[in-house]
Amino acid sequence: LYKAGGGVITSASTVVNKGSAGSGLIGHWTFDGKNMTNTTATDISGNGNHGTLTNMTQSNSKTIGKIGQGLKFNGSTQYLSSGTNMELLNAWTLSAWVKSTNLSTTGVIVGRGNSSDIMRDYTLYSQSGKFNIQRCDISTCSVASTTATYSNNTWYHVVGIFDGGTTGTIYVNGVSAGSGTISKTVSTGSRTTYIGVVMDGGSGLSYYYPGTL
């Protein structure tokens, strides 16, 4: 995860960024064995945003990833919680290698949302065969989506970029695949970043990811 838009990551597992690629890195989880304990995925960005495995462990969820080791998620109970320090109110970049078993369902790759309403800084997810990014205020969301639909059980490198203004763009395997307006106003707040699920206001944790990251 990076804290600004502008870069496309091509060799990471799950990344959150607030700068262009290679700068502003605030979260990077490879899921490789050397960067895991049985219950924790180390954030190798150096920012300490380690992911706590919930209803899963490395020993029972590890699998072959696109680059090194991955984690498989059951789509119903399993996720990682990475703390509340990754607030991104302006430009950001999200990226991940993904292989879903069911792209038709709504499955969150990474997101940060409220427990009291639907406000979200960022969400990268799949739905109806497409990849999407999203920002939400307290009552409504704006979404940018890919034009094409994609296949189950296939590896894709997905990058979502918000330019800090109104535009969101999605890249799939290094190629621009869709864009849209994601202009909702997001205010500061203590929200948790999750991998494999997102907090959806009063509905609680929702949209579990089915497949491998």
Side-chain angles (χ1 to χ4, degrees):
L1 199 157
Y2 287 80
K3 197 176 180 180
V8 179
I9 305 299
T10 58
S11 59
S13 295
T14 305
V15 173
V16 179
N17 169 47
K18 67 177 185 179
S20 60
S23 66
L25 184 65
I26 63 171
H28 182 185
W29 307 269
T30 69
F31 301 155
D32 284 336
K34 65 181 180 180
N35 298 319
M36 299 279 298
T37 69
N38 204 37
T39 57
T40 303
T42 300
D43 166 25
I44 66 168
S45 75
N47 292 305
N49 296 310
H50 309 307
T52 299
L53 280 67
T54 303
N55 300 319
M56 61 194 303
T57 62
Q58 182 193 205
S59 59
N60 65 25
S61 297
K62 66 182 178 181
T63 188
I64 297 171
K66 178 63 176 180
I67 299 174
Q69 180 173 286
L71 291 178
K72 56 186 177 182
F73 296 75
N74 64 9
S76 59
T77 63
Q78 296 176 334
Y79 62 91
L80 278 71
S81 173
S82 295
T84 59
N85 294 328
M86 287 178 282
E87 181 172 81
L88 298 176
L89 303 183
N90 298 304
W92 44 252
T93 300
L94 315 172
S95 72
W97 280 104
V98 305
K99 186 172 77 168
S100 176
T101 58
N102 187 0
L103 283 170
S104 64
T105 192
T106 303
V108 170
I109 299 162
V110 60
R112 185 177 189 265
N114 267 359
S115 58
S116 57
D117 53 54
I118 67 167
M119 183 172 287
R120 296 177 196 146
D121 305 26
Y122 48 84
T123 315
L124 174 64
Y125 65 103
S126 58
Q127 183 184 60
S128 301
K130 298 183 177 184
F131 295 110
N132 315 269
I133 53 175
Q134 178 189 74
R135 281 170 61 85
C136 307
D137 60 23
I138 62 172
S139 59
T140 58
C141 297
S142 54
V143 179
S145 302
T146 58
T147 302
T149 57
Y150 297 88
S151 300
N152 293 335
N153 302 307
T154 301
W155 280 109
Y156 298 103
H157 187 255
V158 184
V159 178
I161 296 174
F162 172 54
D163 68 357
T166 62
T167 302
T169 304
I170 302 170
Y171 293 81
V172 178
N173 296 338
V175 177
S176 180
S179 63
T181 299
I182 51 172
S183 57
K184 297 298 180 179
T185 299
V186 181
S187 60
T188 189
S190 180
R191 295 181 282 273
T192 298
T193 296
Y194 292 98
I195 298 171
V197 76
V198 74
M199 184 62 71
D200 187 37
S203 299
L205 292 174
S206 302
Y207 311 122
Y208 290 84
Y209 176 81
T212 302
L213 297 174

